[in-house]
Short mmCIF file of all heavy atoms in Angstrom, two decimals:
data_model
loop_
_atom_site.label_atom_id
_atom_site.label_comp_id
_atom_site.label_asym_id
_atom_site.label_seq_id
_atom_site.Cartn_x
_atom_site.Cartn_y
_atom_site.Cartn_z
N GLY A 131 111.56 83.19 75.73
CA GLY A 131 111.27 84.03 74.57
C GLY A 131 111.19 85.49 74.97
O GLY A 131 112.10 86.04 75.59
N ASP A 132 110.05 86.12 74.64
CA ASP A 132 109.85 87.54 74.96
C ASP A 132 109.30 87.72 76.37
O ASP A 132 109.15 88.84 76.85
CB ASP A 132 108.90 88.17 73.94
CG ASP A 132 109.05 89.68 73.87
OD1 ASP A 132 110.19 90.17 73.97
OD2 ASP A 132 108.02 90.37 73.74
N ALA A 133 108.98 86.62 77.04
CA ALA A 133 108.44 86.69 78.40
C ALA A 133 109.58 86.81 79.40
O ALA A 133 110.69 86.32 79.17
CB ALA A 133 107.60 85.46 78.69
N LEU A 134 109.31 87.47 80.53
CA LEU A 134 110.30 87.58 81.59
C LEU A 134 109.59 87.56 82.93
O LEU A 134 108.36 87.69 83.00
CB LEU A 134 111.12 88.86 81.46
CG LEU A 134 110.46 90.19 81.89
CD1 LEU A 134 111.53 91.18 82.28
CD2 LEU A 134 109.60 90.75 80.78
N ALA A 135 110.34 87.42 83.98
CA ALA A 135 109.78 87.43 85.34
C ALA A 135 110.64 88.33 86.21
O ALA A 135 111.87 88.33 86.12
CB ALA A 135 109.73 86.02 85.91
N VAL A 136 109.99 89.11 87.06
CA VAL A 136 110.65 90.03 87.97
C VAL A 136 110.14 89.75 89.38
O VAL A 136 108.93 89.63 89.60
CB VAL A 136 110.35 91.50 87.58
CG1 VAL A 136 110.81 92.46 88.66
CG2 VAL A 136 111.01 91.84 86.25
N VAL A 137 111.04 89.68 90.34
CA VAL A 137 110.67 89.47 91.74
C VAL A 137 110.84 90.80 92.47
O VAL A 137 111.93 91.39 92.49
CB VAL A 137 111.53 88.38 92.40
CG1 VAL A 137 111.14 88.23 93.87
CG2 VAL A 137 111.37 87.07 91.66
N THR A 138 109.76 91.28 93.08
CA THR A 138 109.77 92.58 93.76
C THR A 138 110.40 92.46 95.15
O THR A 138 110.62 91.35 95.67
CB THR A 138 108.34 93.12 93.90
OG1 THR A 138 107.63 92.33 94.87
CG2 THR A 138 107.61 93.08 92.57
N SER A 139 110.63 93.61 95.76
CA SER A 139 111.18 93.62 97.12
C SER A 139 110.20 93.02 98.12
O SER A 139 110.59 92.56 99.20
CB SER A 139 111.53 95.05 97.54
OG SER A 139 110.37 95.88 97.52
N GLY A 140 108.91 93.00 97.76
CA GLY A 140 107.90 92.40 98.63
C GLY A 140 107.74 90.91 98.42
O GLY A 140 106.94 90.27 99.10
N GLY A 141 108.50 90.35 97.46
CA GLY A 141 108.47 88.92 97.23
C GLY A 141 107.51 88.44 96.16
O GLY A 141 107.44 87.24 95.87
N GLN A 142 106.77 89.34 95.52
CA GLN A 142 105.85 88.92 94.46
C GLN A 142 106.62 88.68 93.16
O GLN A 142 107.52 89.45 92.82
CB GLN A 142 104.76 89.98 94.20
CG GLN A 142 103.88 90.27 95.40
CD GLN A 142 104.34 91.51 96.14
OE1 GLN A 142 105.52 91.86 96.12
NE2 GLN A 142 103.41 92.19 96.79
N THR A 143 106.24 87.64 92.44
CA THR A 143 106.78 87.38 91.12
C THR A 143 105.81 87.92 90.08
O THR A 143 104.63 87.54 90.06
CB THR A 143 107.00 85.88 90.89
OG1 THR A 143 107.91 85.39 91.87
CG2 THR A 143 107.57 85.63 89.50
N VAL A 144 106.31 88.82 89.23
CA VAL A 144 105.48 89.45 88.22
C VAL A 144 106.00 89.03 86.85
O VAL A 144 107.16 89.26 86.52
CB VAL A 144 105.51 90.99 88.33
CG1 VAL A 144 104.56 91.61 87.31
CG2 VAL A 144 105.14 91.43 89.74
N TYR A 145 105.14 88.40 86.07
CA TYR A 145 105.50 87.98 84.72
C TYR A 145 105.11 89.09 83.75
O TYR A 145 104.03 89.69 83.87
CB TYR A 145 104.79 86.68 84.35
CG TYR A 145 105.31 85.47 85.11
CD1 TYR A 145 104.78 85.14 86.35
CD2 TYR A 145 106.34 84.69 84.59
CE1 TYR A 145 105.27 84.04 87.07
CE2 TYR A 145 106.83 83.60 85.29
CZ TYR A 145 106.29 83.28 86.52
OH TYR A 145 106.78 82.20 87.21
N GLY A 146 105.98 89.34 82.78
CA GLY A 146 105.72 90.40 81.82
C GLY A 146 106.31 90.09 80.47
O GLY A 146 106.71 88.96 80.18
N THR A 147 106.38 91.13 79.61
CA THR A 147 106.95 90.99 78.27
C THR A 147 108.09 91.97 78.10
O THR A 147 108.00 93.13 78.53
CB THR A 147 105.88 91.24 77.19
OG1 THR A 147 106.49 91.21 75.91
CG2 THR A 147 105.20 92.58 77.36
N SER A 148 109.19 91.50 77.49
CA SER A 148 110.37 92.35 77.34
C SER A 148 110.26 93.27 76.13
O SER A 148 111.01 94.24 76.01
CB SER A 148 111.62 91.50 77.21
OG SER A 148 111.58 90.73 76.02
N HIS A 149 109.35 92.97 75.19
CA HIS A 149 109.18 93.77 73.97
C HIS A 149 110.51 93.93 73.25
O HIS A 149 110.81 94.98 72.66
CB HIS A 149 108.57 95.13 74.31
CG HIS A 149 108.00 95.85 73.13
ND1 HIS A 149 107.10 95.28 72.26
CD2 HIS A 149 108.21 97.11 72.64
CE1 HIS A 149 106.78 96.14 71.31
NE2 HIS A 149 107.44 97.25 71.51
N GLY A 150 111.32 92.87 73.30
CA GLY A 150 112.60 92.88 72.61
C GLY A 150 113.70 93.65 73.31
O GLY A 150 114.79 93.82 72.76
N ARG A 151 113.44 94.12 74.54
CA ARG A 151 114.43 94.91 75.26
C ARG A 151 115.30 94.01 76.14
O ARG A 151 114.85 92.98 76.61
CB ARG A 151 113.72 95.98 76.10
CG ARG A 151 113.00 96.99 75.22
CD ARG A 151 111.97 97.80 75.95
NE ARG A 151 111.21 98.63 75.02
CZ ARG A 151 110.08 99.26 75.32
NH1 ARG A 151 109.55 99.16 76.52
NH2 ARG A 151 109.46 99.98 74.40
N ALA A 152 116.52 94.45 76.36
CA ALA A 152 117.48 93.65 77.12
C ALA A 152 117.03 93.49 78.57
O ALA A 152 116.51 94.43 79.19
CB ALA A 152 118.85 94.29 77.06
N THR A 153 117.21 92.29 79.11
CA THR A 153 116.81 92.00 80.50
C THR A 153 118.01 91.46 81.26
O THR A 153 118.61 90.47 80.87
CB THR A 153 115.68 90.97 80.53
OG1 THR A 153 116.11 89.78 79.88
CG2 THR A 153 114.44 91.49 79.83
N ALA A 154 118.32 92.13 82.36
CA ALA A 154 119.41 91.68 83.23
C ALA A 154 119.36 92.49 84.52
O ALA A 154 119.04 93.68 84.51
CB ALA A 154 120.76 91.84 82.55
N GLY A 155 119.68 91.84 85.63
CA GLY A 155 119.77 92.54 86.91
C GLY A 155 118.45 93.13 87.35
O GLY A 155 117.41 92.46 87.37
N GLU A 156 118.46 94.42 87.69
CA GLU A 156 117.25 95.12 88.13
C GLU A 156 116.44 95.58 86.92
O GLU A 156 116.99 95.91 85.88
CB GLU A 156 117.61 96.32 89.00
CG GLU A 156 118.35 95.96 90.28
CD GLU A 156 117.50 95.11 91.22
OE1 GLU A 156 116.34 95.48 91.45
OE2 GLU A 156 118.00 94.08 91.70
N ALA A 157 115.13 95.59 87.09
CA ALA A 157 114.26 95.98 85.97
C ALA A 157 113.04 96.72 86.50
O ALA A 157 112.71 96.65 87.70
CB ALA A 157 113.82 94.75 85.18
N CYS A 158 112.39 97.44 85.60
CA CYS A 158 111.15 98.15 85.94
C CYS A 158 110.09 97.81 84.91
O CYS A 158 110.33 97.89 83.70
CB CYS A 158 111.39 99.67 85.97
SG CYS A 158 109.93 100.64 86.44
N LEU A 159 108.92 97.40 85.39
CA LEU A 159 107.78 97.09 84.52
C LEU A 159 106.73 98.18 84.63
O LEU A 159 106.50 98.73 85.71
CB LEU A 159 107.15 95.75 84.92
CG LEU A 159 108.02 94.50 84.83
CD1 LEU A 159 107.27 93.30 85.40
CD2 LEU A 159 108.45 94.24 83.41
N SER A 160 106.10 98.48 83.51
CA SER A 160 104.98 99.42 83.48
C SER A 160 103.68 98.64 83.31
O SER A 160 103.56 97.80 82.41
CB SER A 160 105.14 100.40 82.32
OG SER A 160 103.94 101.12 82.09
N VAL A 161 102.71 98.93 84.19
CA VAL A 161 101.40 98.28 84.10
C VAL A 161 100.33 99.38 84.16
O VAL A 161 100.22 100.08 85.18
CB VAL A 161 101.15 97.27 85.24
CG1 VAL A 161 99.85 96.51 85.00
CG2 VAL A 161 102.32 96.30 85.36
N ARG A 162 99.59 99.55 83.07
CA ARG A 162 98.52 100.55 83.05
C ARG A 162 97.46 100.21 84.11
O ARG A 162 97.10 99.04 84.30
CB ARG A 162 97.84 100.59 81.68
CG ARG A 162 98.76 101.01 80.56
CD ARG A 162 99.00 102.49 80.58
NE ARG A 162 99.95 102.92 79.55
CZ ARG A 162 100.77 103.92 79.69
NH1 ARG A 162 100.79 104.60 80.82
NH2 ARG A 162 101.60 104.27 78.72
N ALA A 163 96.95 101.26 84.77
CA ALA A 163 95.94 101.05 85.81
C ALA A 163 94.69 100.36 85.26
O ALA A 163 94.02 99.62 85.99
CB ALA A 163 95.57 102.40 86.43
N VAL A 164 94.38 100.58 83.98
CA VAL A 164 93.17 99.99 83.40
C VAL A 164 93.33 98.51 83.09
O VAL A 164 92.36 97.82 82.81
CB VAL A 164 92.74 100.73 82.11
CG1 VAL A 164 92.35 102.16 82.43
CG2 VAL A 164 93.84 100.68 81.06
N HIS A 165 94.56 98.00 83.12
CA HIS A 165 94.79 96.60 82.76
C HIS A 165 94.70 95.65 83.95
O HIS A 165 94.60 94.44 83.77
CB HIS A 165 96.16 96.45 82.08
CG HIS A 165 96.19 97.02 80.70
ND1 HIS A 165 97.33 97.55 80.13
CD2 HIS A 165 95.21 97.16 79.77
CE1 HIS A 165 97.04 97.99 78.91
NE2 HIS A 165 95.78 97.76 78.67
N PHE A 166 94.74 96.18 85.17
CA PHE A 166 94.54 95.34 86.34
C PHE A 166 93.07 94.95 86.47
O PHE A 166 92.17 95.71 86.09
CB PHE A 166 94.95 96.08 87.61
CG PHE A 166 96.42 96.04 87.91
CD1 PHE A 166 97.16 97.21 87.96
CD2 PHE A 166 97.07 94.84 88.16
CE1 PHE A 166 98.51 97.18 88.25
CE2 PHE A 166 98.42 94.79 88.44
CZ PHE A 166 99.15 95.97 88.49
N SER A 167 92.83 93.79 87.03
CA SER A 167 91.47 93.35 87.36
C SER A 167 91.37 93.11 88.86
O SER A 167 92.30 92.59 89.48
CB SER A 167 91.12 92.05 86.62
OG SER A 167 91.05 92.26 85.24
N LEU A 168 90.23 93.49 89.42
CA LEU A 168 89.93 93.25 90.83
C LEU A 168 88.71 92.35 90.93
O LEU A 168 87.69 92.60 90.28
CB LEU A 168 89.63 94.56 91.56
CG LEU A 168 90.79 95.46 91.98
CD1 LEU A 168 90.25 96.66 92.75
CD2 LEU A 168 91.80 94.71 92.82
N THR A 169 88.81 91.30 91.72
CA THR A 169 87.68 90.37 91.91
C THR A 169 87.61 89.96 93.38
O THR A 169 88.61 90.00 94.11
CB THR A 169 87.83 89.11 91.04
OG1 THR A 169 89.10 88.49 91.32
CG2 THR A 169 87.75 89.47 89.56
#
């Protein structure tokens, strides 16, 4: 659906939302600093 997954050069898989935008090949995700959690 609107969900997508991106694998970074460091090997992490990051799941995100496409917001209806086209997804193919290389991609860039934006993550606000306030949305991360540290525990």
Side-chain angles (χ1 to χ4, degrees):
D132 201 38
L134 77 154
V136 170
V137 178
T138 71
S139 60
Q142 299 98 331
T143 301
V144 184
Y145 290 87
T147 175
S148 65
H149 197 52
R151 295 163 186 167
T153 58
E156 298 296 312
C158 182
L159 299 174
S160 167
V161 187
R162 297 284 177 212
V164 295
H165 288 150
F166 277 119
S167 293
L168 281 183
T169 55

